[in-house]
Amino acid sequence: MKVTIVGAGAVGASCAEYVAIKDFASEVVLLDIKDGVAEGKAMDLMQTATLNSFDTKITGTTNDYSKTAGSDIAVITSGIPRKPGMTREELIGINAGIVKEVSSNLIKHSPNVTLIVVSNPMDTMTYLVHKTTGLPKNKIIGMGGALDSARFKFRLSEALECPPSDVDGMVIGGHSDTGMVPLTRLATRNSVPVSAFLSEDRLNQVSEDTKVGGATLTKLLGTSAWYAPGAAVSALVQAIACDQKKMFPCSAMLEGEYGLNDICIGVPAILGKDGLEKIVEIELDDAESKKIKESAEGVNKTNALLEL
């Protein structure tokens, strides 16, 4: 199992670290355009192998895609990160060109690769990859919902004053501050609806805090977060590599599901060796259906800015 991560910045390097520590891949290749950065981070990570008890081989390369040949899974984190006050949508002009070039180079050397898109605005970048690469739809997955759901569960555990492992919940919709749809109605604490413990006002606060989770961290850190995004990507990589059949909300190309067409947006999906193996349609109430349609309108507006 060979995994390539394009972009050796904070998110890419964190993802490589988590993949290596989980020890399910034989090789991880880090690729970056900045001379020496991928090689340096790969070497630094390899020097943790005996300390963290993994045998995954991590190598780095400066823009040499031949080193990525034969990759089973490739993660695209390339592009400029958010700065304080920026929306994910503002990154589209620069990042679209980068993602298009990166995906083309990856497929040239690994025609059967499964691509996981992380670059922002993520839903639109995932749509771009669908429209420009010719890969089957199950081989292109956008990572946003797994991260948003992890942030949602953190906020729920905080409000419930309980261990995070007690909590289950999911965020669907667009990966944006206004597009996320945290499903508070379906969230549970050990199978008990969280509404049994928290007031409607507190749940609304949890939902709002979740939606601005990325912006909150960007304001604190001065740049985008990396630990949770890296961990979220590594969970998707592992689900595919190990054929786990796990369900994560992912940005998938919809063809009628949830009443939406020709759009990539976050919906529950089963991940396994064939990539995105099944989109799961859950029954939404009227308020949730309205929110996901509004979210889709926002994604479509951003998609319209693409030069396809």
Side-chain angles (χ1 to χ4, degrees):
M1 177 58 58
K2 182 174 180 178
V3 177
T4 286
I5 300 165
V6 182
V11 173
S14 287
C15 178
E17 181 179 18
Y18 291 127
V19 168
I21 286 172
K22 292 174 182 180
D23 211 20
F24 60 83
S26 54
E27 183 179 1
V28 173
V29 178
L30 267 175
L31 183 146
D32 202 275
I33 58 167
K34 198 170 178 183
D35 194 34
V37 169
E39 291 90 338
K41 290 195 178 183
M43 187 184 294
D44 193 14
L45 284 169
M46 281 305 297
Q47 289 169 6
T48 72
T50 56
L51 299 167
N52 287 326
S53 304
F54 66 79
D55 294 314
T56 302
K57 179 185 176 185
I58 309 170
T59 57
T61 180
T62 301
N63 227 28
D64 181 0
Y65 281 86
S66 68
K67 301 283 176 66
T68 72
S71 293
D72 300 283
I73 302 165
V75 178
I76 303 174
T77 74
S78 319
I80 57 168
R82 278 207 288 179
K83 292 185 170 56
M86 286 180 79
T87 66
R88 293 180 178 93
E89 290 71 28
E90 287 176 273
L91 307 173
I92 187 167
I94 297 169
N95 287 359
I98 295 170
V99 169
K100 194 172 177 181
E101 182 182 350
V102 167
S103 56
S104 173
N105 283 328
L106 287 167
I107 293 164
K108 180 180 172 185
H109 293 279
S110 305
N112 297 313
V113 72
T114 297
L115 295 180
I116 299 176
V117 181
V118 184
S119 308
N120 279 315
M122 184 277 299
D123 296 294
T124 295
M125 294 299 101
T126 305
Y127 183 78
L128 173 69
V129 173
H130 275 281
K131 292 297 180 183
T132 57
T133 62
L135 278 181
K137 61 179 276 189
N138 61 299
K139 292 283 193 176
I140 304 166
I141 301 162
M143 193 296 293
L147 170 61
D148 299 332
S149 297
R151 288 173 170 163
F152 181 40
K153 287 180 271 192
F154 159 69
R155 288 299 189 186
L156 281 170
S157 69
E158 188 180 52
L160 290 162
E161 298 182 338
C162 75
S165 58
D166 258 14
V167 177
D168 200 14
M170 183 164 53
V171 177
I172 60 172
H175 183 55
S176 70
D177 299 356
T178 55
M180 290 180 213
V181 184
L183 297 175
T184 51
R185 178 180 64 90
L186 300 176
T188 61
R189 177 182 181 182
N190 281 348
S191 302
V192 180
V194 293
S195 56
F197 305 97
L198 299 173
S199 69
E200 187 177 347
D201 283 350
R202 189 68 182 92
L203 280 172
N204 286 338
Q205 186 61 52
V206 164
S207 182
E208 291 307 308
D209 288 345
T210 298
K211 286 157 74 172
V212 296
T216 301
L217 286 163
T218 300
K219 189 175 178 183
L220 290 168
L221 297 167
T223 187
S224 297
W226 58 90
Y227 293 122
V233 182
S234 75
L236 268 56
V237 172
Q238 186 176 22
I240 297 163
C242 301
D243 196 25
Q244 291 179 331
K245 312 297 186 193
K246 275 196 169 186
M247 184 167 73
F248 290 97
C250 302
S251 191
M253 176 63 82
L254 301 187
E255 296 173 334
E257 299 93 346
Y258 293 91
L260 300 171
N261 277 288
D262 192 38
I263 187 172
C264 292
I265 199 166
V267 292
I270 307 297
L271 301 187
K273 62 181 169 51
D274 295 320
L276 197 152
E277 297 187 346
K278 183 184 179 183
I279 291 170
V280 179
E281 287 200 74
I282 55 177
E283 199 169 319
L284 302 177
D285 66 19
D286 290 344
E288 291 156 354
S289 295
K290 183 175 181 241
K291 284 176 184 173
I292 199 167
K293 285 189 168 48
E294 288 170 352
S295 179
E297 286 170 13
V299 172
N300 278 327
K301 280 181 186 173
T302 309
N303 290 352
L305 301 173
L306 287 172
E307 295 177 9
L308 293 172

